[in-house]
């Protein structure tokens, strides 16, 4: 117990001594104990000032304790034995590679790089953090194939120089070269490698090498026999860790095949040429995809990732193509160089024709066409132009100008049949041949115009003559119709007259019968009246006697008939003349007196 109490009493003293020893080591440790403190964000690079052995010629780092820069570095912590009189410790900061960037490395020591290469091979060295492994594993001096990706590294800066985007300008580089290689969507990256064996004679690009992870593992590319220069393989859309000293990337757009077209691939690289076109196709060669030559299978509408530096894609329209031998040009511009066809007729006149040719190339026939002629423009310039032009020049010699004009549809039909057979041998379908404007000499055109006018006038006269004949026939028919109307009228009049006559006869018969009956009735009546009157007279005579009854009858008649017994004017006297005058005046006055009431 006493011992424990003594220890407790002595502990403050021991603690104080310990503190004194610690600060003494900090102050005098480097001198007395050779102590070195390396912090967490540091790496200690050791330089030995002298040693029992010297480095081999050409070497920079010591592996076996030789004087000079040491391969081994000091990790964070407290290290002893590195006396100042023998060692110099360089406290270098850690190497930091930011996200989205890479860092390049240059080795100051190692084996010499072989003459066929320009970059040091990749060896196991824990991402250049173990200099001893780098040197013992055969690491090479100079620019390195290996790169550092994003992260923090403890690098022996005496052996390795690390180039980041921050230090790039100091090494004649751009900061952008130290960023990750990004290939944009709808683009492809065409790669050119700067290291490897030369491309074989007769080739324009290095063949595809498997296993190098899209050029990110440069050592695998070289070990697999990768060639220096343009590469067949491309990079698709994405982000890639590429060493700019090893590979350069050019971005180009994907090959776009629009609707209504196919793309015929002409490859300048690939496997050995093996013709698959068959014995019937004797005007070119076709190969399978991946071989050198014209691919037998075309590319259909869409976007295709192709290396356009080693391949050519010829667009072939699969819709109908109109070609004009005239002053106008279609939107495809294949007929830009075509013009009206000048021909000479049988009668020696020169005139020009405008011709339109409609063609069609099938999708499966497109590779044959391209294999035979090379391009659609060559098809137009070297096949269609001479076939169409020469046909019309030859055929025009068999006809006069006016015959050609008058039988244009027949000439067009003959041309279509001939051209269809001629270009069918080139795997091209002729849909139709159309003759446009025909431009004969002006004098012949005037003759043709006059002839046409005369023909039209003749037709007009014939039409007028026919109209006159028709008019005459119409008048004749009209007259006949009128006469017929009269005949019909006369016939109807006769019928009516007959009917009227019959009616009159019947009427007269009826009237005669009526008169006869009436007369018979009247006779009977008169007879009866006469008999009655005779009976009356007889009775009157018997009653009054003959004279009295006669006087009575006479007086009755005078009264009924207003017979004047006394004259209205009486003239008397011996002298007759005055009496006559008076009589006349009396008559006149009587007449006026008689007319006055009538006027009222």
């Amino acid at each position: 117990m006493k011992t424990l109490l003594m220890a407790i009493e002595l502990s403050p003293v021991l603690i104080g001594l310990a503190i004194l020893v610690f600060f003494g080591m900090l102050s005098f440790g480097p001198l007395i104990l050779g102590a070195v403190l390396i912090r967490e964000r540091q790496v200690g690079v050791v330089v030995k000032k002298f040693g029992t052995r010297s480095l081999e010629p050409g070497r920079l780092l010591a592996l076996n304790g030789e004087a000079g820069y040491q391969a081994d570095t000091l990790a964070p912590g407290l290290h002893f034995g590195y006396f100042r009189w023998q060692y110099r410790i360089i406290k270098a900061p850690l190497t930091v590679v930011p996200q989205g960037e890479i860092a390049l490395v240059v080795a100051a020591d190692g084996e010499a790089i072989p003459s066929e290469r320009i970059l040091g091979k990749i060896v196991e060295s824990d991402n250049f953090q173990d200099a001893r492994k780098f040197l013992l594993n055969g690491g090479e001096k100079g620019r390195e194939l290996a790169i550092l990706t994003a992260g923090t590294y403890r690098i022996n800066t005496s052996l390795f120089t690390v180039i980041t985007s921050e230090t790039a300008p100091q090494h004649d580089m751009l900061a952008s070269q130290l960023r990750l290689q990004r290939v944009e969507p709808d683009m492809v990256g065409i790669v050119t490698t700067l290291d490897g064996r030369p491309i074989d004679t007769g080739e324009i690009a290095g063949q595809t090498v498997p296993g190098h992870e899209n050029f990110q593992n440069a050592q695998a590319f070289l070990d697999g026999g990768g060639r220096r220069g343009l590469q067949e393989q491309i990079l698709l859309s994405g982000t890639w860790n590429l060493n700019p000293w090893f590979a350069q990337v050019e971005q180009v757009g994907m090959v776009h095949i629009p609707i209504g077209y196919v793309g015929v691939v002409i490859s300048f690289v690939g496997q050995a040429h093996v013709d698959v076109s068959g014995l019937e196709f004797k005007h070119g060669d076709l190969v399978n995809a991946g071989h050198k030559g014209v691919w037998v299978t075309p590319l259909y509408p869409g976007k295709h990732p192709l290396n356009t530096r080693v391949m050519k894609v010829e667009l072939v329209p699969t819709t109908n193509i109109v070609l004009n031998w005239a002053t106008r040009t279609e939107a495809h511009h294949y007929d830009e160089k075509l013009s009206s066809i000048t021909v000479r007729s049988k009668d020696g006149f020169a005139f020009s024709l405008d011709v339109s040719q409609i063609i069609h190339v099938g999708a499966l026939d497109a590779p044959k066409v391209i294999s035979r002629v090379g391009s659609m423009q060559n098809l137009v310039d070297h096949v269609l132009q001479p076939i169409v032009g020469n046909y019309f020049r030859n055929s025009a010699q068999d006809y006069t100008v006016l015959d050609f004009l008058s039988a244009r549809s027949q000439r067009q039909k003959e041309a279509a049949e001939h051209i269809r057979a001629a270009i069918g041998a080139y795997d091209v379908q002729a849909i139709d041949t159309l003759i446009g404007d025909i431009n004969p000499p002006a004098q012949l055109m005037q003759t043709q115009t006059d002839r046409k006018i005369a023909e039209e006038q003749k037709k007009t006269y014939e039409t007028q003559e026919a109209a006159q004949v028709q008019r005459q026939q119409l008048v004749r028919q009209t007259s006949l119709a009128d006469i017929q109307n009269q005949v019909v009228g006369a016939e109807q009049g006769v019928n009516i007259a007959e009917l009227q006559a019959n009616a009159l006869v019947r009427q007269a018969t009826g009237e005669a019968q009526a008169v006869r009956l009436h007369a018979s009735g009247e006779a009977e009546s008169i007879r009866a009246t006469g008999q009655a009157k005779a009976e009356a007279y007889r009775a009157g005579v018997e009653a009054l006697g003959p004279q009295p009854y006669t006087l009575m009858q006479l007086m009755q008649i005078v009264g009924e008939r207003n017979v004047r017994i006394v004259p209205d004017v009486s003239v008397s006297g011996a002298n007759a003349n005055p009496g006559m005058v008076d009589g006349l005046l009396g008559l006149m006055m009587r007449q006026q007196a008689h007319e006055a009431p009538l006027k009222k």
Side-chain angles (χ1 to χ4, degrees):
M1 186 68 179
K2 186 183 290 184
T3 303
L4 179 60
L5 292 173
M6 291 177 64
I8 293 174
E9 291 176 354
L10 292 174
S11 59
V13 177
L14 293 174
I15 292 173
L17 289 174
I19 293 173
L20 289 175
V21 170
F22 177 74
F23 283 103
M25 290 178 63
L26 290 178
S27 302
F28 302 102
L31 296 175
I32 300 173
L33 303 176
V36 177
L37 179 63
I38 304 298
R39 301 185 184 279
E40 288 297 325
R41 304 292 296 178
Q42 293 177 338
V43 60
V45 178
V46 180
V47 182
K48 192 174 184 180
K49 296 181 179 180
F50 59 88
T52 57
R53 291 181 297 178
S54 60
L55 289 172
E56 297 178 4
R59 302 306 298 265
L60 177 65
L61 264 70
L63 294 174
N64 300 309
E66 298 91 343
Y69 287 99
Q70 301 300 303
D72 299 322
T73 58
L74 300 179
L78 186 61
H79 302 272
F80 298 96
Y82 292 95
F83 302 102
R84 288 186 178 180
W85 53 271
Q86 188 177 11
Y87 294 98
R88 181 166 64 92
I89 306 301
I90 301 173
K91 298 179 181 180
L94 298 181
T95 299
V96 178
V97 180
Q99 289 293 329
E101 297 183 3
I102 62 171
L104 302 177
V105 179
V106 180
D109 198 0
E111 302 292 335
I113 297 175
S115 59
E116 67 270 12
R117 291 190 288 107
I118 63 172
L119 299 176
K121 66 182 180 180
I122 298 176
V123 297
E124 176 57 36
S125 62
D126 190 18
N127 289 315
F128 301 104
Q129 295 180 108
D130 192 335
R132 178 176 292 276
K133 280 186 178 181
F134 177 83
L135 294 174
L136 293 178
N137 289 334
E140 296 172 341
K141 184 190 304 184
R143 294 180 175 183
E144 300 299 316
L145 274 175
I147 60 173
L148 296 176
T149 57
T152 302
Y153 303 90
R154 300 182 184 278
I155 304 294
N156 187 338
T157 55
S158 64
L159 176 60
F160 300 113
T161 300
V162 180
I163 304 174
T164 63
S165 60
E166 184 178 354
T167 61
Q170 302 172 15
H171 300 274
D172 297 328
M173 296 187 69
L174 300 175
S176 60
Q177 293 179 279
L178 279 301
R179 297 191 181 98
L180 296 183
Q181 181 67 52
R182 176 179 174 80
V183 179
E184 301 296 333
D186 291 338
M187 305 288 283
V188 296
I190 297 177
V191 180
T192 301
T193 57
L194 306 177
D195 202 358
R197 289 185 292 175
I199 294 175
D200 295 336
T201 303
E203 300 291 341
I204 65 170
Q207 295 182 354
T208 300
V209 177
H212 55 77
E213 300 176 4
N214 290 304
F215 304 97
Q216 295 179 112
N217 189 342
Q219 191 61 54
F221 176 84
L222 296 178
D223 293 343
R227 307 294 176 165
R228 179 187 310 171
L230 181 64
Q231 300 299 308
E232 293 182 18
Q233 185 176 346
I234 58 174
L235 293 178
L236 300 179
S237 175
T239 304
W240 313 99
N241 293 310
L242 298 182
N243 186 336
W245 289 337
F246 168 69
Q248 295 180 348
V249 180
E250 175 192 4
Q251 295 193 43
V252 298
M254 289 186 178
V255 175
H256 178 217
I257 309 297
I259 299 295
Y261 288 80
V262 294
V264 178
V265 179
I266 304 172
S267 178
F268 307 110
V269 297
Q271 302 178 33
H273 183 98
V274 178
D275 184 18
V276 296
S277 60
L279 298 177
E280 296 179 357
F281 186 70
K282 301 178 181 179
H283 303 280
D285 296 332
L286 299 175
V287 299
N288 289 322
H291 290 254
K292 187 184 299 184
V294 179
W295 289 2
V296 69
T297 304
L299 301 179
Y300 291 94
K303 292 184 177 180
H304 304 268
L306 296 180
N307 188 340
T308 54
R309 294 291 182 271
V310 297
M311 295 178 183
K312 178 183 177 183
V313 178
E314 185 70 26
L315 289 178
V316 178
T318 53
T319 56
N320 288 351
I321 305 172
V322 179
L323 302 171
N324 297 310
W325 277 258
T327 55
R328 64 184 182 277
T329 302
E330 298 293 332
H332 50 63
H333 296 296
Y334 291 139
D335 53 0
E336 267 186 336
K337 300 178 182 179
L338 302 180
S339 59
S340 299
I341 303 172
T342 301
V343 299
R344 188 171 295 277
S345 63
K346 182 178 181 180
D347 47 359
F349 290 100
F351 62 99
S352 61
L353 298 173
D354 288 351
V355 177
S356 293
Q357 179 65 49
I358 305 174
I359 64 171
H360 174 75
V361 179
L364 298 179
D365 291 329
K368 296 180 181 180
V369 174
I370 298 304
S371 176
R372 183 192 296 263
V373 298
S375 68
M376 287 298 295
Q377 191 62 57
N378 288 344
L379 175 67
V380 175
D381 296 342
H382 302 155
V383 177
L384 295 176
Q385 183 177 11
I387 287 177
V388 175
N390 288 338
Y391 169 78
F392 280 103
R393 293 186 187 95
N394 294 337
S395 63
Q397 295 179 354
D398 297 331
Y399 306 97
T400 65
V401 178
L402 297 181
D403 289 340
F404 206 94
L405 285 170
S406 60
R408 170 178 170 172
S409 59
Q410 182 62 27
R411 302 292 84 76
Q412 180 173 289
K413 180 179 179 181
E414 294 171 354
E417 294 175 354
H418 175 84
I419 294 173
R420 182 177 295 110
I423 68 176
Y426 292 85
D427 300 295
V428 178
Q429 302 174 31
I431 303 301
D432 204 355
T433 302
L434 306 173
I435 298 177
D437 291 338
I438 301 176
N439 302 307
Q443 184 177 0
L444 282 179
M445 195 62 187
Q446 184 62 44
T447 302
Q448 181 71 1
T449 302
D450 294 341
R451 178 183 298 177
K452 285 294 182 183
I453 292 174
E455 291 177 357
E456 293 300 323
Q457 288 178 343
K458 180 180 178 181
K459 292 180 181 179
T460 302
Y461 297 153
E462 291 175 352
T463 303
Q464 291 177 347
E465 181 181 0
Q468 292 294 334
V469 172
Q470 285 292 108
R471 191 179 65 82
Q472 293 173 1
Q473 292 179 354
L474 178 62
V475 171
R476 184 179 297 107
Q477 294 298 327
T478 302
S479 300
L480 291 175
D482 292 341
I483 295 172
Q484 186 69 23
N485 289 335
Q486 294 177 3
V487 171
V488 172
E491 291 177 352
Q492 294 298 323
V494 171
N495 293 333
I496 292 171
E498 290 179 355
L499 292 175
Q500 289 178 347
N502 292 332
L504 290 174
V505 169
R506 292 187 178 184
Q507 182 179 1
T509 303
E511 290 178 352
Q513 186 68 25
V515 170
R516 188 180 300 110
L517 293 175
H518 182 69
S520 176
E522 286 184 352
E524 290 295 332
S525 176
I526 293 171
R527 184 180 296 111
T529 301
Q531 289 178 357
K533 286 182 177 181
E535 290 294 332
Y537 291 157
R538 189 179 295 108
V541 171
E542 289 178 357
L544 297 177
Q547 291 182 352
Y549 183 76
T550 303
L551 180 60
M552 184 183 66
Q553 289 295 323
L554 179 62
M555 291 304 293
Q556 185 179 354
I557 293 170
V558 170
E560 290 177 357
R561 304 290 178 91
N562 294 322
V563 177
R564 293 182 183 275
I565 302 175
V566 180
D568 292 332
V569 179
S570 178
V571 179
S572 64
N575 190 358
N577 289 334
M580 290 297 290
V581 173
D582 292 337
L584 290 174
L585 291 174
L587 289 175
M588 292 177 64
M589 289 178 66
R590 180 179 176 275
Q591 184 176 359
Q592 289 180 356
H594 180 72
E595 291 178 357
L598 296 177
K599 291 181 180 180
K600 290 180 181 181

